[in-house]
Amino acid sequence: MATMAAVEAEFDHAARPPHRFWTLVEGRAFFELGAFYMSRPFLATLPKGDGHAVQVLPGFMATNTSTGPMRRLLRELGYEAHGWDSGRNVRVDNALIRRLETQLQRLNDDTGRKVSLVGWSLGGVLARELAKLHPDRVRLVISLGSPISDDRNHTSAARLFELLNGKEPEAMQGGRFRGLDEAPPVPTTSILTKTDGIVHWRGSVQKPARTPTENIEVYASHCGLGVNPSVMIAIADRLAQGEGTWAPFEPSLAVQWMFPRTSLD
């Protein structure tokens, strides 16, 4: 018979949405946006890129407008940063996947170089699955607060997502988009926050894989991940690595205070 401690431990790891408190204080993202603009002079000094293309995918119910500040910074750092060609991120269907594949192929063909993918929340899930479909065209994947789990109970947006997409979205039919927790066969970074009010942080933890993977914890809200200065530092560091080279993220001494080192078990 299981002990009470074992039962409690199992419950602690059970898939569930974030605590309601963190959801209620998601408005703190406005302060993160303010911090982003206040720190722009510093962010402009982050490692410069090599000019390769970066495709940025917005979160659920969001558009390219939400990723505008990030993409402008990435362009300033020397990348060819692009939004996506799919309007508002609502429906996960075959038409969306075809548009994403077409854009990825175009960017890869036009530049002659692999493309880095950065996805926020649901955008990160899509970025990872896109990399699984076309690993030969993708340089690396970075997800921000993404529910990289087959159990939607990790997110408070599960009911709305299923209302708009059904229990089994069209893109999942035929056996695709299964095993969301499995990393794509390219270097993969999951950036997460334990104070996420939309996706429980456990649902964003990337488990070890054969390919290089890592989790980077930051102090942020879910809605602020796309503008949080610490997230920008991590993204710039990851993108600046040479193609074919990879090492785990190690923040410099000056910014270590921005990256908690707590257990993700």
Side-chain angles (χ1 to χ4, degrees), residues 54-57 70 74 116-120 123 127 142 144 235 239:
V54 180
Q55 186 176 354
V56 184
L57 287 65
M70 182 198 311
L74 293 179
S116 290
L117 303 177
V118 179
W120 189 351
I142 303 172
L144 314 179
I235 290 176
L239 292 177

Side-chain angles (χ1 to χ4, degrees), residues 98-254:
R98 285 194 294 270
R99 288 195 299 271
L100 289 173
E101 290 179 302
T102 298
Q103 184 177 12
L104 174 62
Q105 292 166 4
R106 184 178 70 250
L107 292 175
N108 179 219
D109 292 342
D110 289 349
T111 63
R113 305 170 70 181
K114 292 184 178 181
V115 180
S116 290
L117 303 177
V118 179
W120 189 351
S121 196
L122 177 58
V125 176
L126 294 170
R128 288 163 59 94
E129 296 309 301
L130 186 59
K132 293 176 186 179
L133 294 172
H134 300 281
D136 56 319
R137 295 182 181 271
V138 177
R139 180 164 170 164
L140 59 84
V141 176
I142 303 172
S143 60
L144 314 179
S146 297
I148 53 175
S149 167
D150 286 320
D151 193 333
R152 296 192 192 118
N153 289 324
H154 281 295
T155 172
S156 59
R159 288 186 179 179
L160 178 58
F161 178 84
E162 292 179 356
L163 177 65
L164 297 171
N165 290 276
K167 289 282 187 180
E168 185 174 81
E170 184 182 24
M172 291 181 62
Q173 297 170 17
R176 296 194 306 170
F177 281 58
R178 308 289 182 178
L180 297 182
D181 60 336
E182 297 175 7
V186 300
T188 302
T189 296
S190 175
I191 299 178
L192 57 93
T193 169
K194 286 191 173 181
T195 59
D196 193 311
I198 306 299
V199 178
H200 195 288
W201 66 269
R202 290 192 186 281
S204 296
V205 174
Q206 172 61 62
K207 64 184 182 182
R210 293 183 179 179
T211 50
T213 62
E214 65 183 341
N215 298 290
I216 300 176
E217 185 184 350
V218 296
Y219 298 109
S221 66
H222 183 86
C223 295
L225 283 167
V227 292
N228 187 287
S230 59
V231 176
M232 300 304 107
I233 291 170
I235 290 176
D237 180 90
R238 302 292 77 198
L239 292 177
Q241 297 179 103
E243 184 172 346
T245 65
W246 189 89
F249 176 66
E250 286 294 339
S252 67
L253 185 61

Side-chain angles (χ1 to χ4, degrees), residues 7-85:
V7 172
E8 290 177 349
E10 183 177 354
F11 174 77
D12 186 55
H13 286 76
R16 63 181 186 275
H19 192 284
R20 186 172 299 177
F21 172 79
W22 296 121
T23 303
L24 293 174
V25 296
E26 272 293 316
R28 65 195 190 278
F30 287 105
F31 295 100
E32 292 170 88
L33 179 61
F36 173 86
Y37 285 112
M38 288 181 63
S39 62
R40 281 295 268 113
F42 166 73
L43 296 178
T45 69
L46 293 175
K48 297 299 187 288
D50 59 5
H52 77 272
V54 180
Q55 186 176 354
V56 184
L57 287 65
F60 181 48
M61 300 300 292
T63 67
N64 281 329
T65 300
S66 65
T67 64
M70 182 198 311
R71 287 183 284 112
R72 286 190 287 272
L73 173 63
L74 293 179
R75 292 190 191 107
E76 187 174 338
L77 294 177
Y79 298 98
E80 188 178 309
H82 299 265
W84 76 343
D85 298 336

